[in-house]
């Protein structure tokens, strides 16, 4: 016989776990990464602004298109990549915040994982389409598209995780109302 | 929900407060309130057993099946 007093999976009464060290460290690391990404984005936008008003140093990027147009395209391509990373890190920070609060299985986290895979998919799709144009040496040369299977595999993993989180959040809500 | 919880009626009949029941069965007042107000999604057998023991009643005294549209049917009949 199970004594309900000992069998009390009363989620509403379980105190949240203390702010664990790994979660805290993750929070700090993600904060620093986000700051670095924002700083890099601001630097890139500064370069783009400077390019509008003066001569540009086309050697700064590894683009083989050494024209001012190619330079600007490379800047916006890099800025796009940074934006995707900022979105991903921003969502991860929110996710880690719920982890630190001791309640990661909330519907919002399933949504956050969805935003992450959508951002990564858009970024990868944009890279697949734009990179051949940026790396082309001879304008007449044939374009080669490089599909990175491992990135799409990673996106697939994220989609599955988002679904798992969604179900976890549903079960969590149900457990909360189980007496 | 089609399952109605008649805990308040049984408590009234036994002249017992929710706090007293919580103490007897070892379930928190918050969870008993969830059950009493009909917000609960599920009830463990162990909880039901403890409640029946403490209140000296049957599960059917606490839980009742009421079809969702019974009010509509009753209204239509009247």
């Amino acid at each position: 016989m199970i004594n309900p007093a000992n069998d009390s999976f009363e989620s509403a009464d379980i105190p949240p776990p203390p702010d664990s060290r790994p979660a805290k460290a993750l929070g700090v690391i993600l904060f620093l990464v986000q700051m670095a990404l924002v700083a890099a984005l601001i630097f890139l936008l500064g370069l783009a602004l400077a390019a509008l008003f003066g001569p540009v140093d086309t050697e700064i990027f590894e683009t083989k298109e050494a024209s001012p147009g190619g330079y600007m395209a490379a800047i916006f391509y890099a800025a796009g990549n940074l934006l995707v990373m900022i979105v991903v890190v921003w969502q991860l920070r929110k996710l880690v915040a719920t982890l630190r609060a001791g309640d990661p299985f909330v519907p919002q986290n399933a949504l956050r994982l969805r935003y992450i895979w959508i951002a990564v998919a858009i970024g990868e799709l944009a890279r697949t389409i734009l990179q051949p144009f940026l790396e082309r040496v001879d304008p007449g040369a044939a374009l080669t598209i490089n599909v990175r299977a491992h990135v799409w595999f990673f996106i697939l993993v994220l989609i599955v995780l988002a679904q798992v989180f969604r179900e976890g959040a549903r079960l969590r809500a149900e457990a909360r109302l189980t007496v | 929900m089609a399952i109605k919880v008649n805990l308040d009626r049984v408590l009234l009949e036994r002249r017992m407060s929710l706090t007293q029941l919580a103490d007897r069965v070892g379930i928190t007042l918050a969870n008993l309130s969830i059950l009493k107000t009909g917000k609960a999604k599920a009830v463990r057998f162990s909880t039901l057993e403890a409640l029946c023991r403490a209140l000296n009643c049957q599960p059917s005294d606490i839980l009742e099946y009421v079809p969702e549209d019974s009010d509509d049917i009753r209204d239509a009949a009247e």
Side-chain angles (χ1 to χ4, degrees):
Chain A
M1 191 181 73
I2 300 166
N3 182 359
N6 299 329
D7 181 41
S8 57
F9 181 68
E10 291 155 355
S11 42
D13 305 316
I14 295 173
D19 202 356
S20 68
R21 270 190 188 174
K24 201 181 267 185
L26 268 175
V28 173
I29 290 168
L30 286 171
F31 173 74
L32 293 175
V33 169
Q34 191 178 18
M35 290 302 108
L37 289 171
V38 170
L41 186 65
I42 291 169
F43 173 71
L44 276 179
L45 294 179
L47 282 180
L49 273 177
L52 288 177
F53 300 107
V56 295
D57 177 13
T58 54
E59 297 297 314
I60 198 162
F61 287 109
E62 285 182 357
T63 172
K64 291 158 187 164
E65 188 89 34
S67 65
Y71 175 80
M72 287 301 272
I75 283 184
F76 282 110
Y77 174 69
N81 273 335
L82 281 175
L83 264 178
V84 167
M85 285 192 265
I86 287 170
V87 168
V88 169
V89 173
W90 183 40
Q91 295 301 323
L92 281 177
R93 280 189 66 201
K94 286 183 174 178
L95 211 146
V96 168
T98 62
L99 188 67
R100 290 179 68 175
D103 191 13
F105 290 103
V106 289
Q108 290 89 341
N109 279 352
L111 260 181
R112 281 167 193 146
L113 278 173
R114 187 186 289 178
Y115 293 151
I116 290 173
W117 77 252
I118 289 172
V120 175
I122 289 173
E124 184 58 15
L125 207 61
R127 187 207 63 80
T128 307
I129 295 166
L130 296 176
Q131 204 176 35
F133 292 100
L134 290 170
E135 287 186 344
R136 189 165 55 165
V137 181
D138 177 12
L143 293 172
T144 51
I145 292 174
N146 173 25
V147 177
R148 296 188 298 185
H150 65 277
V151 176
W152 290 104
F153 180 75
F154 171 66
I155 290 167
L156 196 67
V157 170
L158 282 176
I159 292 171
V160 172
L161 276 180
Q163 288 303 313
V164 169
F165 251 83
R166 203 172 149 191
E167 183 60 13
R170 193 189 65 77
L171 290 173
R172 174 89 171 88
E174 205 171 276
R176 222 183 254 277
L177 293 174
T178 296
V179 179
Chain B
M1 189 180 274
I3 300 294
K4 193 181 166 197
V5 181
N6 293 320
L7 192 60
D8 47 355
R9 186 174 55 79
V10 180
L11 281 172
L12 197 71
E13 285 169 6
R14 307 292 189 276
R15 297 182 190 283
M16 194 188 289
S17 71
L18 204 63
T19 314
Q20 285 172 321
L21 181 65
D23 287 341
R24 284 193 191 186
V25 296
I27 296 172
T28 61
L29 196 58
N31 274 353
L32 273 185
S33 293
I34 288 173
L35 181 65
K36 200 182 103 170
T37 52
K39 289 177 187 164
K41 291 268 183 196
V43 184
R44 291 190 187 83
F45 278 162
S46 55
T47 304
L48 200 54
E49 184 188 332
L51 287 174
C52 287
R53 197 187 315 113
L55 294 167
N56 191 24
C57 66
Q58 292 297 312
S60 59
D61 295 328
I62 300 171
L63 302 175
E64 182 188 354
Y65 171 67
V66 182
E68 296 265 21
D69 54 352
S70 64
D71 290 343
D72 299 338
I73 293 166
R74 205 177 299 132
D75 290 345
E78 286 169 5

